[in-house]
Amino acid sequence: MAVDLWDGLEDAEIFERGKYMEPNFIGVIEIKKTLAKETLKNGMAFIVEMEVIKTNMPDKHPEGQKVTWYQGLKDKTVAFPSIAAWAAACLGVNPKGDKAKLKEMQPLLPEAMKEATDSPEDNPFIGVQLKLSTFMVKTKKGGDFTVYDFEPLAA
């Protein structure tokens, strides 16, 4: 009986769980991996694995810590603006900055994101360092949600 209970365990996918940022983080991160994957609970998601380079929260997020940004793709009207802002920052354009530069760069985003997700560990985003600040907002349902705000390091 015990053997039958565990039959197939060797083929089971081992799931990784991300380490998410606390609100009020201000620092620098480096992109380590970018991927799109089907999640068990929420469908497709875009996930960025990062390393903390500089931190204002050494107790919660020390330098060298691996952290994750998760962006669900269930509602693209919510997801795509956040992903576009992240990609713009990675490409050196401040998402809150020059609107003309943003508009000029936006047609490049679909191909850049395809490359990022087709080659999760070997694409132009890997190794990019960004400023990151996080803050808490309330969702429409009253829950807490941590917003990740990315900017180019040179901005």
Side-chain angles (χ1 to χ4, degrees):
M1 163 121 173
V3 173
D4 292 339
L5 174 66
W6 302 111
D7 190 35
L9 182 62
E10 69 276 8
D11 299 321
E13 182 179 352
I14 298 173
F15 298 105
E16 299 175 32
R17 297 195 58 89
K19 169 71 174 159
Y20 300 102
M21 303 297 291
E22 297 284 328
N24 304 313
F25 174 86
I26 299 170
V28 175
I29 55 84
E30 183 174 309
I31 309 299
K32 295 295 184 181
K33 188 175 183 181
T34 56
L35 63 147
K37 71 183 268 185
E38 187 75 27
T39 65
L40 289 176
K41 285 173 58 176
N42 297 313
M44 283 301 292
F46 176 64
I47 301 166
V48 178
E49 295 178 4
M50 309 171 286
E51 181 179 329
V52 175
I53 303 300
K54 292 184 182 174
T55 181
N56 69 326
M57 302 172 86
D59 292 341
K60 292 184 179 183
H61 296 298
E63 291 178 5
Q65 182 183 46
K66 305 295 186 227
V67 294
T68 305
W69 176 50
Y70 170 96
Q71 181 61 61
L73 296 171
K74 193 182 300 184
D75 183 351
K76 290 182 180 180
T77 64
V78 173
F80 276 14
S82 295
I83 293 169
W86 172 83
C90 287
L91 295 171
V93 178
N94 189 335
K96 297 177 193 157
D98 186 341
K99 299 297 179 197
K101 274 188 184 176
L102 278 172
K103 192 168 183 72
E104 181 181 309
M105 184 246 358
Q106 277 188 287
L108 306 174
L109 294 181
E111 188 59 36
M113 291 305 299
K114 182 177 181 344
E115 188 173 357
T117 55
D118 284 352
S119 300
E121 296 178 28
D122 182 27
N123 65 67
F125 295 126
I126 304 305
V128 171
Q129 293 187 358
L130 299 172
K131 293 178 188 175
L132 172 61
S133 58
T134 62
F135 57 94
M136 184 72 67
V137 296
K138 289 289 184 189
T139 65
K140 290 179 184 176
K141 295 180 181 179
D144 291 332
F145 180 79
T146 303
V147 176
Y148 287 51
D149 191 18
F150 295 100
E151 292 182 38
L153 200 52

